[in-house]
C-alpha cells in the first residue's frame, strides 16, 4: 500500500536526519509517534483506515518544522498522497 510505503519513508528519513544532527529530537519524536500510530491503524483496520490516518497526519504535520530536504520531501509526499484519498 502506498500510504504505508510513504509513512515508512518518512520514518526512515527522520531517523537518518536525526542521527546526522539534521533533525532535532522534538521533530523526530512527532514523526516517530505518527508513524507508530499510523502503522497500528493500517494493520488493524485494513479497510477503514483512511479517515483515522488522515486525522492523525492533520494533527502531526503542522508540528513538524525542519529544513532537512529529505524529511521535507517525505512530508510532502505523504501529504500529497493522503490529500488525494
Amino acid at each position: 500500500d502506498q500510504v504505508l510505503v510513504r509513512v515508512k519513508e518518512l520514518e526512515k528519513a527522520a531517523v537518518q536526519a536525526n542521527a546526522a544532527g539534521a533533525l532535532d529530537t522534538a521533530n523526530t519524536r512527532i514523526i516517530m509517534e505518527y508513524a507508530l500510530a499510523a502503522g497500528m491503524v493500517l494493520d488493524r483496520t485494513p479497510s477503514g483506515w483512511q479517515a483515522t490516518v488522515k486525522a492523525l497526519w492533520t494533527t502531526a504535520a503542522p508540528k513538524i518544522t525542519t529544513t532537512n530536504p529529505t524529511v521535507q520531501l517525505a512530508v510532502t509526499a505523504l501529504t500529497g498522497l493522503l490529500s488525494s484519498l
Side-chain angles (χ1 to χ4, degrees):
D1 180 73
Q2 285 298 308
V3 173
L4 183 58
V5 169
R6 296 291 176 237
V7 169
K8 293 296 182 186
E9 285 176 354
L10 175 60
E11 182 179 32
K12 181 180 176 182
V15 168
Q16 289 175 342
N18 182 266
L23 184 65
D24 63 42
T25 302
N27 280 297
T28 303
R29 184 173 291 118
I30 292 166
I31 292 168
M32 297 305 293
E33 288 172 354
Y34 171 77
L36 177 63
M40 289 190 319
V41 170
L42 289 164
D43 284 344
R44 293 180 183 162
T45 54
S47 62
W49 57 264
Q50 292 179 348
T52 304
V53 170
K54 288 169 88 171
L56 289 167
W57 187 239
T58 299
T59 301
K63 298 176 186 175
I64 301 167
T65 55
T66 180
T67 58
N68 181 279
T70 304
V71 175
Q72 286 178 332
L73 183 62
V75 165
T76 300
L78 183 57
T79 300
L81 181 59
L82 290 175
S83 68
S84 72
L85 298 177

